[in-house]
Amino acid sequence: MNENGNISPIGMFDSGVGGISVLREAVRQLPHERFIFFGDTKNAPYGTKTKEEVLSLSRRIVEMLLGKGCKAIVIACNTATSAAAATLRAEYADLPIIGMEPALKPASLLHQDGIVLSLATPGTIAGEKYAHLYALYGEGVVSMPCKGLMEFAERGELDSEALHDYLKDLFLPYQGKKVEAVVLGCTHYVFLKKAIQRFFPETPLIDGNAGTVRQLARRLAEKGTLAPDAAEGGAELLSSGGEAAVRRMKNLLKTE
Ligand code: DGL
């Protein structure tokens, strides 16, 4: 609780609209919490920037969110988690900082003798965090850096012909193969589920959103900072991309 008697908010950010898929899940699981979400649309994509650039952008956003009294931070972006989470946790030792990771672990439970397609940004796939995950759960996994894919979600183009063409080229080598799971290792891709599912109608598409929000709830409970049931929750949306980007985020927050 802050000095005005209000429940302190939870800060959440992404390079753009993708993290809204995490916020949507967070609002479902934690309806009494207040969230402040920042989408850094002006600087998107993060997935083709250097680790240093993403760290510096992430650090500035965390400072801004802490200035608004946030009690915890959710990095609703796999790329920024990979580039910045460890450093930010060292810099803010008392602050719960929850990140994302491509869901290779749950996907590994579905792996038998086929393949698992792991879709993420070039930055995520090149990072140490991913290499570590891959060493543990990478059996049967084909890692696919998807330069240019997040932009479809960012533009609000969730089912266009151009998206279909992009995916067709991407998945061409795997049509007719036994694909046991598709990992959506970028929060933007969650909004492209319908278009991706068309190529693999029977295959589970797995993201890390629910697990991340469960982890957030655990960390708040440990700290004793969960909002009480009487508190009124809500979400405030901010963007470096102006009004139009905020409108796109609002619309995506309402989608199922
Ligand atoms: N939504 C982000 C992720 O989860 C990154 C997209 C990007 O900025 O490249 O990785």
Side-chain angles (χ1 to χ4, degrees):
M1 199 157 321
N2 63 23
E3 64 277 11
N4 304 319
N6 294 324
I7 303 300
S8 301
I10 295 161
M12 204 181 260
F13 73 94
D14 179 34
S15 62
V17 305
I20 293 289
S21 67
V22 185
L23 177 63
R24 190 175 59 180
E25 177 63 26
V27 170
R28 270 185 211 142
Q29 283 192 41
L30 300 167
H32 303 292
E33 298 291 345
R34 282 175 53 219
F35 296 91
I36 301 179
F37 182 92
F38 182 80
D40 197 8
T41 290
K42 190 177 107 193
N43 294 304
Y46 280 7
T48 47
K49 289 190 164 50
T50 64
K51 185 178 170 180
E52 290 68 31
E53 285 171 316
V54 176
L55 172 59
S56 147
L57 291 165
S58 303
R59 190 185 272 129
R60 248 191 291 154
I61 296 168
V62 169
E63 279 165 14
M64 181 274 289
L65 291 169
L66 292 180
K68 293 180 179 293
C70 290
K71 62 184 174 185
I73 297 290
V74 178
I75 308 179
C77 173
N78 293 266
T79 312
T81 301
S82 168
T87 307
L88 291 171
R89 284 184 187 126
E91 290 173 0
Y92 296 99
D94 275 341
L95 177 72
I97 299 181
I98 292 89
M100 309 287 310
E101 69 179 27
L104 292 190
K105 187 178 174 184
S108 71
L109 303 174
L110 300 172
H111 172 58
Q112 292 171 336
D113 55 353
I115 53 173
V116 170
L117 301 181
S118 169
L119 278 50
T121 68
T124 295
I125 288 185
E128 269 167 50
K129 194 178 161 72
Y130 188 86
H132 181 69
L133 267 179
Y134 190 87
L136 292 171
Y137 308 109
E139 209 188 295
V141 171
V142 180
S143 301
M144 305 176 75
C146 299
K147 184 168 182 284
L149 183 54
M150 71 76 84
E151 283 84 343
F152 288 97
E154 198 56 41
R155 288 194 294 267
E157 216 183 302
L158 309 186
D159 209 5
S160 68
E161 209 175 305
L163 172 61
H164 183 82
D165 289 347
Y166 178 108
L167 294 173
K168 196 170 158 196
D169 285 349
L170 184 73
F171 295 138
L172 193 63
Y174 308 104
Q175 288 297 296
K177 297 241 162 75
K178 186 176 175 193
V179 178
E180 292 160 330
V182 177
V183 173
L184 305 176
C186 165
T187 52
H188 281 75
Y189 304 167
V190 176
F191 289 120
L192 308 178
K193 249 184 185 167
K194 228 199 220 157
I196 294 171
Q197 191 83 70
R198 228 170 259 141
F199 290 85
F200 307 103
E202 308 296 330
T203 305
L205 309 186
I206 309 178
D207 64 68
N209 289 1
T212 293
V213 178
R214 280 196 298 273
Q215 175 67 359
L216 167 65
R218 270 195 296 272
R219 294 299 307 280
L220 294 177
E222 271 164 29
K223 282 252 165 198
T225 56
L226 270 171
D229 286 357
E232 196 180 332
E236 183 185 346
L237 307 184
L238 307 171
S239 171
S240 58
E243 279 304 304
V246 172
R247 258 197 311 279
R248 281 199 297 279
M249 295 198 301
K250 277 194 181 143
N251 287 338
L252 286 171
L253 189 56
K254 285 189 237 142
T255 57
E256 278 305 309

PDB file of all heavy atoms in Angstrom, residues 100-113:
ATOM      1  N   MET A 100       9.878 -13.683 -18.589  1.00  0.00           N
ATOM      2  CA  MET A 100       9.289 -14.724 -19.448  1.00  0.00           C
ATOM      3  C   MET A 100      10.399 -15.658 -19.911  1.00  0.00           C
ATOM      4  O   MET A 100      11.551 -15.240 -19.992  1.00  0.00           O
ATOM      5  CB  MET A 100       8.732 -14.115 -20.742  1.00  0.00           C
ATOM      6  CG  MET A 100       7.809 -12.953 -20.649  1.00  0.00           C
ATOM      7  SD  MET A 100       6.181 -13.390 -20.072  1.00  0.00           S
ATOM      8  CE  MET A 100       5.720 -14.776 -21.095  1.00  0.00           C
ATOM      9  N   GLU A 101      10.011 -16.871 -20.289  1.00  0.00           N
ATOM     10  CA  GLU A 101      10.967 -17.692 -21.031  1.00  0.00           C
ATOM     11  C   GLU A 101      10.202 -18.560 -22.012  1.00  0.00           C
ATOM     12  O   GLU A 101       9.068 -18.960 -21.739  1.00  0.00           O
ATOM     13  CB  GLU A 101      11.856 -18.531 -20.100  1.00  0.00           C
ATOM     14  CG  GLU A 101      11.146 -19.632 -19.378  1.00  0.00           C
ATOM     15  CD  GLU A 101      12.081 -20.439 -18.480  1.00  0.00           C
ATOM     16  OE1 GLU A 101      13.100 -19.900 -18.025  1.00  0.00           O
ATOM     17  OE2 GLU A 101      11.764 -21.623 -18.251  1.00  0.00           O
ATOM     18  N   PRO A 102      10.798 -18.830 -23.182  1.00  0.00           N
ATOM     19  CA  PRO A 102      10.114 -19.710 -24.137  1.00  0.00           C
ATOM     20  C   PRO A 102       9.789 -21.043 -23.466  1.00  0.00           C
ATOM     21  O   PRO A 102      10.623 -21.597 -22.746  1.00  0.00           O
ATOM     22  CB  PRO A 102      11.144 -19.868 -25.258  1.00  0.00           C
ATOM     23  CG  PRO A 102      12.001 -18.645 -25.165  1.00  0.00           C
ATOM     24  CD  PRO A 102      12.085 -18.337 -23.694  1.00  0.00           C
ATOM     25  N   ALA A 103       8.567 -21.520 -23.708  1.00  0.00           N
ATOM     26  CA  ALA A 103       8.042 -22.667 -22.956  1.00  0.00           C
ATOM     27  C   ALA A 103       8.603 -24.014 -23.441  1.00  0.00           C
ATOM     28  O   ALA A 103       7.858 -24.955 -23.733  1.00  0.00           O
ATOM     29  CB  ALA A 103       6.519 -22.652 -23.031  1.00  0.00           C
ATOM     30  N   LEU A 104       9.919 -24.133 -23.489  1.00  0.00           N
ATOM     31  CA  LEU A 104      10.520 -25.400 -23.942  1.00  0.00           C
ATOM     32  C   LEU A 104      10.276 -26.516 -22.926  1.00  0.00           C
ATOM     33  O   LEU A 104      10.137 -27.682 -23.292  1.00  0.00           O
ATOM     34  CB  LEU A 104      12.031 -25.244 -24.143  1.00  0.00           C
ATOM     35  CG  LEU A 104      12.512 -24.352 -25.281  1.00  0.00           C
ATOM     36  CD1 LEU A 104      14.009 -24.502 -25.477  1.00  0.00           C
ATOM     37  CD2 LEU A 104      11.795 -24.658 -26.575  1.00  0.00           C
ATOM     38  N   LYS A 105      10.232 -26.145 -21.647  1.00  0.00           N
ATOM     39  CA  LYS A 105      10.046 -27.176 -20.612  1.00  0.00           C
ATOM     40  C   LYS A 105       8.671 -27.867 -20.741  1.00  0.00           C
ATOM     41  O   LYS A 105       8.624 -29.091 -20.877  1.00  0.00           O
ATOM     42  CB  LYS A 105      10.248 -26.551 -19.236  1.00  0.00           C
ATOM     43  CG  LYS A 105      10.236 -27.560 -18.117  1.00  0.00           C
ATOM     44  CD  LYS A 105      10.481 -26.905 -16.785  1.00  0.00           C
ATOM     45  CE  LYS A 105      10.326 -27.929 -15.666  1.00  0.00           C
ATOM     46  NZ  LYS A 105      10.474 -27.307 -14.355  1.00  0.00           N
ATOM     47  N   PRO A 106       7.557 -27.092 -20.728  1.00  0.00           N
ATOM     48  CA  PRO A 106       6.266 -27.776 -20.932  1.00  0.00           C
ATOM     49  C   PRO A 106       6.190 -28.492 -22.287  1.00  0.00           C
ATOM     50  O   PRO A 106       5.584 -29.567 -22.387  1.00  0.00           O
ATOM     51  CB  PRO A 106       5.220 -26.663 -20.839  1.00  0.00           C
ATOM     52  CG  PRO A 106       5.955 -25.376 -20.735  1.00  0.00           C
ATOM     53  CD  PRO A 106       7.377 -25.671 -20.389  1.00  0.00           C
ATOM     54  N   ALA A 107       6.817 -27.924 -23.315  1.00  0.00           N
ATOM     55  CA  ALA A 107       6.761 -28.571 -24.640  1.00  0.00           C
ATOM     56  C   ALA A 107       7.504 -29.904 -24.609  1.00  0.00           C
ATOM     57  O   ALA A 107       7.115 -30.865 -25.287  1.00  0.00           O
ATOM     58  CB  ALA A 107       7.359 -27.655 -25.698  1.00  0.00           C
ATOM     59  N   SER A 108       8.557 -29.995 -23.792  1.00  0.00           N
ATOM     60  CA  SER A 108       9.352 -31.235 -23.759  1.00  0.00           C
ATOM     61  C   SER A 108       8.517 -32.415 -23.242  1.00  0.00           C
ATOM     62  O   SER A 108       8.789 -33.570 -23.564  1.00  0.00           O
ATOM     63  CB  SER A 108      10.618 -31.049 -22.902  1.00  0.00           C
ATOM     64  OG  SER A 108      10.263 -30.971 -21.535  1.00  0.00           O
ATOM     65  N   LEU A 109       7.460 -32.107 -22.464  1.00  0.00           N
ATOM     66  CA  LEU A 109       6.593 -33.177 -21.961  1.00  0.00           C
ATOM     67  C   LEU A 109       5.756 -33.787 -23.084  1.00  0.00           C
ATOM     68  O   LEU A 109       5.249 -34.903 -22.961  1.00  0.00           O
ATOM     69  CB  LEU A 109       5.660 -32.642 -20.868  1.00  0.00           C
ATOM     70  CG  LEU A 109       6.351 -31.996 -19.658  1.00  0.00           C
ATOM     71  CD1 LEU A 109       5.331 -31.375 -18.715  1.00  0.00           C
ATOM     72  CD2 LEU A 109       7.199 -33.044 -18.912  1.00  0.00           C
ATOM     73  N   LEU A 110       5.604 -33.043 -24.186  1.00  0.00           N
ATOM     74  CA  LEU A 110       4.806 -33.546 -25.316  1.00  0.00           C
ATOM     75  C   LEU A 110       5.670 -34.234 -26.369  1.00  0.00           C
ATOM     76  O   LEU A 110       5.172 -34.827 -27.310  1.00  0.00           O
ATOM     77  CB  LEU A 110       4.052 -32.384 -25.974  1.00  0.00           C
ATOM     78  CG  LEU A 110       3.080 -31.620 -25.075  1.00  0.00           C
ATOM     79  CD1 LEU A 110       2.555 -30.377 -25.789  1.00  0.00           C
ATOM     80  CD2 LEU A 110       1.918 -32.521 -24.673  1.00  0.00           C
ATOM     81  N   HIS A 111       6.987 -34.106 -26.196  1.00  0.00           N
ATOM     82  CA  HIS A 111       7.888 -34.642 -27.215  1.00  0.00           C
ATOM     83  C   HIS A 111       8.040 -36.165 -27.112  1.00  0.00           C
ATOM     84  O   HIS A 111       8.298 -36.694 -26.039  1.00  0.00           O
ATOM     85  CB  HIS A 111       9.262 -33.986 -27.080  1.00  0.00           C
ATOM     86  CG  HIS A 111      10.309 -34.606 -27.948  1.00  0.00           C
ATOM     87  ND1 HIS A 111      10.177 -34.677 -29.321  1.00  0.00           N
ATOM     88  CD2 HIS A 111      11.472 -35.221 -27.644  1.00  0.00           C
ATOM     89  CE1 HIS A 111      11.213 -35.312 -29.819  1.00  0.00           C
ATOM     90  NE2 HIS A 111      12.023 -35.644 -28.827  1.00  0.00           N
ATOM     91  N   GLN A 112       7.832 -36.831 -28.265  1.00  0.00           N
ATOM     92  CA  GLN A 112       8.085 -38.288 -28.329  1.00  0.00           C
ATOM     93  C   GLN A 112       9.132 -38.530 -29.402  1.00  0.00           C
ATOM     94  O   GLN A 112      10.311 -38.384 -29.135  1.00  0.00           O
ATOM     95  CB  GLN A 112       6.785 -39.037 -28.603  1.00  0.00           C
ATOM     96  CG  GLN A 112       5.831 -38.948 -27.424  1.00  0.00           C
ATOM     97  CD  GLN A 112       4.463 -39.484 -27.732  1.00  0.00           C
ATOM     98  OE1 GLN A 112       4.033 -39.543 -28.885  1.00  0.00           O
ATOM     99  NE2 GLN A 112       3.747 -39.878 -26.687  1.00  0.00           N
ATOM    100  N   ASP A 113       8.672 -38.844 -30.634  1.00  0.00           N
ATOM    101  CA  ASP A 113       9.637 -39.098 -31.701  1.00  0.00           C
ATOM    102  C   ASP A 113       9.524 -38.094 -32.846  1.00  0.00           C
ATOM    103  O   ASP A 113      10.120 -38.270 -33.894  1.00  0.00           O
ATOM    104  CB  ASP A 113       9.474 -40.534 -32.229  1.00  0.00           C
ATOM    105  CG  ASP A 113       8.043 -40.783 -32.667  1.00  0.00           C
ATOM    106  OD1 ASP A 113       7.192 -39.899 -32.436  1.00  0.00           O
ATOM    107  OD2 ASP A 113       7.768 -41.847 -33.240  1.00  0.00           O
TER     108      ASP A 113
END
